[in-house]
Amino acid sequence: MRKVRRKRWFALVLLGMVLLLFYRSNWLGRVIYPIEYREEIEQASAAEKVDPLLVAAVIRVESNFRADRMSPKGAVGIMQVMPDTAQWMFERERFRSYKLEDLQDPLKNIRVGTAYLSLLHQQFLHNQVIAVASYNAGPGNVNKWLSNDTWDGRLETVEDIPFGETRKYVSKVMYYYKKYREVY
């Protein structure tokens, strides 16, 4: 009887130590919250001066890192760039050689999506929450919400966003952003 108790106690202590090891390490977090296309994200983020973990969080919510994704509304690729937004971005010097078909290429999609996110970030004075909301709902809608005091642009008041899809989107992106910051 004593040997059985001792073995159980030893097994529990060993299990506790293993769980503590995984809890203290980022290994498990990286399994649960992987970042694919990491090099491409880091390159585009460095060029655009945007936090690569925020870009990864946007990608996680937009497509879950699936480059072949196309939304029912017509958004394309890994960052789910809308064709009209892409055409507008293609007017910029460094994207003039891009075509809509290029959005199927993860690297080019990440470059365009990250550049757009950067522009939104600048437009909204580096407020990540507002930039993320704009990425989903469009800057026109977000400007309207901010100017008529529908929403104050804070994560704490995300429930004030009139579009349910955008409320959920902002919450999810900021959730993954927080997790990525903890793990990476």
Side-chain angles (χ1 to χ4, degrees), residues 87-132:
Q87 291 290 8
W88 181 72
M89 292 299 293
F90 295 166
E91 293 172 9
R92 302 196 168 315
E93 183 67 36
R94 69 181 160 226
F95 298 117
R96 289 211 174 131
S97 66
Y98 282 34
K99 299 179 270 327
L100 283 177
E101 302 82 50
D102 291 331
L103 294 177
Q104 299 296 330
D105 176 348
L107 176 59
K108 290 181 178 179
N109 192 289
I110 289 168
R111 285 180 179 162
V112 172
T114 302
Y116 181 57
L117 185 61
S118 176
L119 289 173
L120 295 171
H121 214 245
Q122 292 168 32
Q123 179 180 347
F124 293 105
L125 307 174
H126 302 282
N127 182 315
Q128 290 177 325
V129 177
I130 297 173
V132 167

Side-chain angles (χ1 to χ4, degrees), residues 4-181:
V4 171
R5 282 187 188 164
R6 198 175 286 178
K7 283 182 180 179
R8 282 186 187 160
W9 183 83
F10 180 74
L12 284 173
V13 168
L14 186 61
L15 179 63
M17 289 173 61
V18 168
L19 288 175
L20 185 61
L21 177 67
F22 282 123
Y23 177 75
R24 293 265 183 207
S25 78
N26 288 333
W27 176 84
L28 187 58
R30 289 174 190 236
V31 169
I32 296 170
Y33 301 103
I35 297 178
E36 297 175 38
Y37 301 100
R38 193 161 176 192
E39 189 174 314
E40 292 86 346
I41 291 168
E42 287 175 355
Q43 287 173 359
S45 296
E48 300 299 336
K49 297 177 180 61
V50 176
D51 187 337
L53 299 177
L54 182 64
V55 174
V58 167
I59 292 172
R60 172 84 182 238
V61 174
E62 288 288 355
S63 69
N64 201 20
F65 297 95
R66 289 188 42 216
D68 61 346
R69 194 82 185 253
M70 185 154 176
S71 80
K73 292 182 180 179
V76 179
I78 195 165
M79 289 193 74
Q80 292 292 278
V81 178
M82 291 296 289
D84 289 347
T85 302
Q87 291 290 8
W88 181 72
M89 292 299 293
F90 295 166
E91 293 172 9
R92 302 196 168 315
E93 183 67 36
R94 69 181 160 226
F95 298 117
R96 289 211 174 131
S97 66
Y98 282 34
K99 299 179 270 327
L100 283 177
E101 302 82 50
D102 291 331
L103 294 177
Q104 299 296 330
D105 176 348
L107 176 59
K108 290 181 178 179
N109 192 289
I110 289 168
R111 285 180 179 162
V112 172
T114 302
Y116 181 57
L117 185 61
S118 176
L119 289 173
L120 295 171
H121 214 245
Q122 292 168 32
Q123 179 180 347
F124 293 105
L125 307 174
H126 302 282
N127 182 315
Q128 290 177 325
V129 177
I130 297 173
V132 167
S134 297
Y135 194 90
N136 179 262
N141 286 318
V142 173
N143 269 322
K144 186 171 52 175
W145 303 336
L146 295 170
S147 65
N148 69 15
D149 294 326
T150 301
W151 180 49
D152 64 9
R154 294 180 309 125
L155 185 58
E156 297 79 15
T157 58
V158 74
E159 289 303 316
D160 294 339
I161 294 175
F163 295 177
E165 176 188 332
T166 303
R167 275 194 306 270
K168 290 176 193 166
Y169 178 83
V170 170
S171 295
K172 285 181 183 179
V173 168
M174 298 314 290
Y175 169 83
Y176 284 115
Y177 178 58
K178 179 182 177 214
K179 290 298 181 184
Y180 284 147
R181 286 181 52 203

